[in-house]
Amino acid sequence: MTSAKASEAAPGPTALPIIDVSLLDAPAPDSRARLARQLDRACQDSGFFYVTGHGIPTELIDAVFRQSRALFALPDFAPVMMRYFDAMNRLSARIMTALALALGLPSDHFRAFCEQPLSTLRLLHYPPQPAHASPGEKGCGAHTDFGGITVLLLDEHPGLQIWDHRHRRWLQADPVPGTFVVNLGDMIARWTNDRYRSTLHRVVNLSGAERYSVPFFYSGNPDHEVRCLPNCLTAGEQPRYPATTVERHLIEMYRKTYA
């Protein structure tokens, strides 16, 4: 696991691309092709990107943050969270459609994967860093996600940092209003023979304020087969991972992590 001090994260605006998934519905035939090219580039580079044009109402996003903050003081927020959970399942399935296009596959390639998916919604609270924090103290240590994709809702406070494998440094992924941050999990890297990246990331809350985020982990149908995609192999190349299922992959990852 790679680590670095928080002060080593690159400052300033994010280097992550912003992907407009509304292009999936655009009438112009080249719109989907443009989306596929942008997404393919982002997935091969860092495996992280912002999603705009997602159709999730600002009212719902604002309500999610209100309820998330209220969770740490008051009970009873289930109706809002269930609405949001359903909205995130729908958005995740659309992102999988976009990923299929980025990989040069039919748009419905991952349809069965998206049926009865394993999904987890979490509400996270990060207190401010202590005034005299020890070097490298973090809100969440460096890790990759196990499953398919993660759709992350950020509040207004920065803290997410992404490992730049090319320049070996931490990049700050500051909040961009109206977007979700999406990152690929280990299962997508396995599926694509590491063509698409599952990238180390961490949280260091240096904002001086209480920070909230809402990750949605989308792992797909537990019985779905995960086998190296043929178009992710170059001539003469062999799959780096044996075929498995979503469920077996997750069990394997948990065993490696917690054994």
Side-chain angles (χ1 to χ4, degrees):
M1 181 175 293
T2 307
S3 62
K5 294 182 180 179
S7 60
E8 294 173 355
T14 180
L16 299 183
I18 297 177
I19 306 294
D20 183 358
V21 293
S22 70
L23 292 175
L24 286 170
D25 303 319
D30 64 338
S31 297
R32 281 191 161 204
R34 185 165 75 253
L35 167 63
R37 288 194 300 270
Q38 293 171 348
L39 190 55
D40 179 66
R41 195 158 52 243
C43 291
Q44 292 195 61
D45 185 11
S46 69
F48 272 79
F49 49 92
Y50 293 101
V51 165
T52 189
H54 43 70
I56 308 299
T58 300
E59 167 272 325
L60 177 56
I61 289 173
D62 291 344
V64 167
F65 275 127
R66 284 198 305 272
Q67 294 296 339
S68 180
R69 294 184 180 101
L71 173 66
F72 295 93
L74 298 171
D76 184 25
F77 60 176
V80 166
M81 293 303 133
M82 289 305 298
R83 279 181 59 207
Y84 187 74
F85 185 87
D86 291 341
M88 287 296 99
N89 263 328
R90 291 192 296 272
L91 175 58
S92 296
R94 285 173 58 77
I95 292 171
M96 292 303 299
T97 297
L99 282 172
L101 294 173
L103 288 163
L105 300 168
S107 61
D108 63 351
H109 182 83
F110 294 115
R111 178 178 293 174
F113 170 76
C114 295
E115 293 175 355
Q116 298 182 313
L118 291 173
S119 304
T120 302
L121 174 64
R122 290 182 183 165
L123 306 179
L124 301 182
H125 168 239
Y126 296 94
Q129 293 284 102
H132 302 289
S134 59
E137 188 166 336
K138 307 168 189 67
C140 181
H143 65 284
T144 60
D145 294 342
F146 293 166
I149 60 173
T150 302
V151 183
L152 177 64
L153 178 60
L154 300 175
D155 72 1
E156 66 274 22
H157 301 297
L160 176 64
Q161 297 179 354
I162 298 163
W163 182 245
D164 178 357
H165 63 279
R166 212 170 273 164
H167 301 101
R168 305 199 61 77
R169 59 177 181 166
W170 289 103
L171 298 177
Q172 191 82 19
D174 291 341
V176 175
T179 71
F180 294 91
V181 174
V182 178
N183 67 279
L184 308 180
D186 298 334
M187 187 162 58
I188 300 295
R190 178 176 191 154
W191 222 334
T192 62
N193 219 37
D194 291 328
R195 172 177 171 179
Y196 284 178
R197 293 183 178 278
S198 177
T199 301
L200 278 174
H201 52 285
R202 68 182 188 181
V203 175
V204 183
N205 183 16
L206 299 176
S207 67
E210 305 287 323
R211 181 181 180 274
Y212 297 84
S213 69
V214 185
F216 182 80
F217 302 98
Y218 189 80
S219 296
N221 187 295
D223 296 325
H224 194 78
E225 184 181 60
V226 179
R227 180 185 295 273
C228 180
L229 295 166
N231 59 343
C232 290
L233 292 173
T234 58
E237 186 180 17
Q238 295 298 314
R240 300 179 184 181
Y241 309 95
T244 186
T245 64
V246 168
E247 182 179 40
R248 288 203 301 268
H249 165 79
L250 293 174
I251 290 172
E252 177 186 338
M253 297 307 296
Y254 279 111
R255 282 177 176 162
K256 285 182 179 179
T257 304
Y258 300 112

